[in-house]
Amino acid sequence: MLTMLIVDDEKLFADSLKSEIEWASLGIGPVYTAYNSRQAKEIYASAQVDFMLCDIEMPQGSGLELLAWVREHYPRTESVFMTCHADFRYAQRAVQLGSFDYLLKPVAEDELRDVARRAAEKINKDKETKQYSRFGEFWSKHQPLLAERFWLDIINHTIPSNPELIRREAEVRNIPYDTDMRLLPALISIQRYNKSFSPRDEKIIEYALINSGAELLGIQGSGLLFGLPERKLLALIPVERNALEIQETLQASGRAFIDTASTYFYCDISVYIGNEVLGHELTDMVGRLAEWDLNNVAHGNRVLLWRNKPYGQQNIVLPDMSTWSVLLKEGHGDRVLEEAEKFLHGLSGAETIDADSLYRFHHNFLQMVYYVLKLSGIEAQLLFNDETSSVLFQRAARSLTDMKEWMKHTLSKATGYEGTVQQSQPIMKDAEQFILQELESEDLTREAVASHVFLNPDYLDRLFKKESGHSVTEFIVSRRMLLARDLLTATNQSVSSIASRAGYTNLAHFSRRFKQVVGMSPKDYRNKHKQ
């Protein structure tokens, strides 16, 4: 019989799960209950737990935090999460792909029984497995987080890449290590998410990918798969047979993993399979795979082998964008996009195109757009200062797909606003409304108005003079004086208060400007016109 622990802060719910299902018929018993993480840890201290059913949201420590603790101290426990958030349905098949699942509350009894049955089968199968290779035994018997930390320290140079120093450090940490052990590393890169997720959801997806990847890549019990920074995972597989056979197997399983990631976790990934290396050679091999990923701007959702990597740098000739600038100036942004996408499509077949070539294209295209906007008096750095433009700009040079997405957004926004500027009336209306809203602010200047409408200050001045006969500054002063005259005749506010309302912090300056415009002092104007 297998022991089970139900963890949920809703006491009635936890107790009902314990009592309403015939757990013994599934080969499970006894069944313990805990209502927070602290009680769960106390049960672990006094009893063996084979299977944990845990709520993901609890006030005294989340289910994720509890699972992290269980993984470190009791790695053989199988865990299933429960959540009331339907947003997590993308992870519901996780137990079929790895070692856990999400169940949506309220939990259907038949669904829970099915999950528990499959978890029990897996636990029993793992217990029956006695024949491990010496390296497979190393991965499965020792606490996964300690093993992950050991290899991360090697990759991050915390432990120098020296066979003897690595052996000594393994001895200090009480981790079995053989200097002759050969490893096959595989780097998994999450290239993009095809849905919008919060950072917290991305972490959960990454955890699900680790579990499903370990299952699909066939390394459970004989290897490690763990997370790296910058949306990457690393698989370390001990080489017990011909490395070429393992690589071929990984190619097939890697494609299945890519399909699973796309279908269930809404992300594009690529798998980079390295050559077999000794432990002290691992850092260099992983670094080469990471650099390959950085320069892989043309291909996504691919399994790539280091031994098949093309060498030599192809000379990428960037297009002459002068014709594109003319088309954009004439309002044909769609034709510019068509030509640019045609060029990038041609690059997708160039195996040796790298991030540097795409960066240079990005730089040239950006300069072309900024040049055309400047001719129209538009301050491009202000026009593209919104969050969406910033995010797309930062991602553009990562891949051809990201570049196309950025170009489409940039050209659409540029041509749309350029058309607005050419009409002039919408710009004038927006500028005038901004001036009226900000009249009381001493920071209301020609430059501030130009920044608000994304135009060069001199160009906005010319536009104002063309449409109203006044410069921007003259328009601001006239509206301030009109406001001051209305307040002088309609209220009993002091002249200093009215000066402040009109955007002047210096009373003397206000009085001089008022007399300059109106022909008399504020006091005389009030005396003459106040009813």
Side-chain angles (χ1 to χ4, degrees):
M1 297 287 282
L2 303 177
T3 56
M4 178 179 179
L5 172 61
I6 300 173
V7 188
D8 197 302
D9 60 306
E10 298 180 37
K11 185 177 184 299
L12 290 177
F13 180 74
D15 292 345
S16 66
L17 286 182
K18 177 180 178 179
S19 60
E20 292 178 5
I21 293 181
E22 186 61 40
W23 295 107
S25 65
L26 299 172
I28 296 175
V31 177
Y32 302 97
T33 55
Y35 311 120
N36 54 51
S37 294
R38 178 184 57 80
Q39 292 180 1
K41 291 178 182 179
E42 291 176 354
I43 291 173
Y44 268 99
S46 60
Q48 176 182 323
V49 177
D50 297 303
F51 176 36
M52 180 175 72
L53 183 64
C54 181
D55 186 15
I56 198 171
E57 300 288 351
M58 294 186 294
Q60 298 181 29
S62 71
L64 287 175
E65 292 169 345
L66 177 59
L67 179 63
W69 180 85
V70 170
R71 285 191 66 209
E72 181 176 0
H73 296 87
Y74 303 94
R76 290 189 177 278
T77 297
E78 290 295 334
S79 301
V80 172
F81 282 137
M82 298 178 292
T83 178
C84 59
H85 297 295
D87 291 342
F88 291 102
R89 59 181 178 273
Y90 57 78
Q92 278 186 281
R93 280 177 51 87
V95 75
Q96 298 171 334
L97 309 172
S99 62
F100 80 107
D101 192 10
Y102 282 86
L103 295 175
L104 293 178
K105 289 183 174 181
V107 180
E109 181 177 334
D110 58 345
E111 186 177 3
L112 178 55
R113 288 178 61 87
D114 180 63
V115 170
R117 176 186 56 77
R118 287 186 281 111
E121 288 177 356
K122 183 178 185 303
I123 294 169
N124 288 326
K125 182 178 178 181
D126 289 345
K127 286 186 174 183
E128 292 169 1
T129 302
K130 300 296 183 181
Q131 301 301 320
Y132 292 99
S133 69
R134 62 190 181 106
F135 295 137
E137 190 173 9
F138 164 70
W139 298 124
S140 62
K141 280 190 174 181
H142 292 273
Q143 297 174 357
L145 290 181
L146 292 179
E148 290 173 16
R149 185 71 262 165
F150 175 69
W151 291 112
L152 280 172
D153 285 346
I154 292 175
I155 293 168
N156 295 330
H157 300 282
T158 303
I159 302 174
S161 297
N162 177 282
E164 181 59 23
L165 293 178
I166 294 175
R167 186 195 64 77
R168 290 179 186 175
E169 187 63 29
E171 186 177 331
V172 169
R173 301 188 187 195
N174 198 28
I175 295 176
Y177 177 78
D178 189 333
T179 55
D180 294 326
M181 177 169 57
R182 305 192 71 83
L183 302 167
L184 185 69
L187 184 72
I188 295 102
S189 174
I190 304 172
Q191 296 172 305
R192 70 186 55 81
Y193 286 102
N194 298 316
K195 290 181 66 174
S196 179
F197 293 112
S198 67
R200 179 177 179 274
D201 284 353
E202 287 188 11
K203 285 295 182 184
I204 294 174
I205 293 174
E206 182 178 314
Y207 177 75
L209 285 171
I210 289 173
N211 283 273
S212 62
E215 176 79 15
L216 288 169
L217 298 176
I219 60 177
Q220 281 186 335
S222 60
L224 279 178
L225 178 60
F226 52 90
L228 296 176
E230 300 179 353
R231 294 180 173 179
K232 291 180 177 58
L233 312 176
L234 180 64
L236 295 180
I237 304 164
V239 178
E240 286 289 326
R241 62 182 192 276
N242 188 294
L244 292 179
E245 293 180 7
I246 300 177
Q247 290 174 334
E248 291 173 1
T249 301
L250 275 178
Q251 273 190 289
S253 58
R255 295 188 191 99
F257 187 27
I258 289 171
D259 291 341
T260 294
S262 176
T263 303
Y264 298 108
F265 305 115
Y266 307 108
C267 61
D268 296 336
I269 67 173
S270 281
V271 181
Y272 303 87
I273 303 173
N275 292 337
E276 62 172 314
V277 293
L278 295 170
H280 66 278
E281 299 170 332
L282 180 66
T283 301
D284 180 66
M285 188 73 256
V286 172
R288 291 172 183 268
L289 295 177
E291 184 178 4
W292 193 9
D293 173 58
L294 178 65
N295 283 302
N296 177 24
V297 297
H299 306 295
N301 291 320
R302 295 275 292 272
V303 179
L304 303 166
L305 273 71
W306 180 259
R307 60 183 170 88
N308 294 337
K309 182 181 183 297
Y311 291 93
Q313 183 62 44
Q314 181 173 337
N315 185 26
I316 303 297
V317 179
L318 297 180
D320 180 4
M321 298 186 184
S322 58
T323 303
W324 296 0
S325 66
V326 174
L327 289 172
L328 184 58
K329 177 61 180 173
E330 295 176 351
H332 300 302
D334 54 340
R335 290 183 57 188
V336 175
L337 180 62
E338 181 182 347
E339 290 295 321
E341 287 185 334
K342 182 179 179 181
F343 171 77
L344 293 179
H345 180 72
L347 291 183
S348 64
E351 291 291 338
T352 52
I353 179 175
D354 59 7
D356 180 66
S357 299
L358 193 60
Y359 172 80
R360 288 188 289 112
F361 174 87
H362 186 207
H363 175 79
N364 290 357
F365 194 92
L366 182 69
Q367 292 301 313
M368 182 270 294
V369 172
Y370 273 40
Y371 168 74
V372 173
L373 292 178
K374 185 177 181 180
L375 292 178
S376 300
I378 301 173
E379 293 286 351
Q381 70 272 20
L382 299 176
L383 179 62
F384 297 113
N385 197 35
D386 59 290
E387 183 178 357
T388 299
S389 298
S390 177
V391 170
L392 292 176
F393 172 81
Q394 292 173 12
R395 291 200 314 228
R398 291 183 182 177
S399 70
L400 298 183
T401 300
D402 290 316
M403 182 63 70
K404 292 175 183 178
E405 186 177 358
W406 171 76
M407 288 192 309
K408 185 176 181 179
H409 168 83
T410 300
L411 289 173
S412 174
K413 195 161 187 175
T415 54
Y417 200 75
E418 193 172 21
T420 301
V421 170
Q422 290 175 356
Q423 295 175 15
S424 75
Q425 287 302 321
I427 295 294
M428 288 290 295
K429 183 177 180 180
D430 190 12
E432 289 176 5
Q433 288 180 343
F434 178 75
I435 290 171
L436 295 176
Q437 291 171 359
E438 301 294 324
L439 273 182
E440 294 187 27
S441 171
E442 62 176 314
D443 296 325
L444 179 61
T445 63
R446 181 187 74 150
E447 287 69 25
V449 179
S451 175
H452 175 72
V453 293
F454 312 126
L455 293 179
N456 178 278
D458 292 335
Y459 183 87
L460 183 62
D461 250 349
R462 292 197 297 271
L463 191 62
F464 256 75
K465 287 180 179 179
K466 176 184 176 182
E467 298 293 334
S468 67
H470 301 285
S471 69
V472 178
T473 301
E474 290 170 345
F475 184 85
I476 293 173
V477 171
S478 68
R479 289 299 180 269
R480 281 176 164 169
M481 293 303 106
L482 180 61
L483 174 63
R485 282 185 289 177
D486 289 343
L487 292 174
L488 285 168
T489 57
T491 73
N492 292 319
Q493 295 180 34
S494 65
V495 174
S496 61
S497 296
I498 292 174
S500 178
R501 291 281 302 277
Y504 291 88
T505 56
N506 186 297
L507 180 59
H509 183 205
F510 166 73
S511 297
R512 284 196 301 271
R513 180 55 64 93
F514 188 90
K515 187 172 184 179
Q516 206 175 52
V517 174
V518 181
M520 63 183 73
S521 69
K523 182 177 180 182
D524 291 341
Y525 184 87
R526 170 172 271 175
N527 290 337
K528 180 178 180 180
H529 295 279
K530 188 170 177 61
Q531 298 177 349

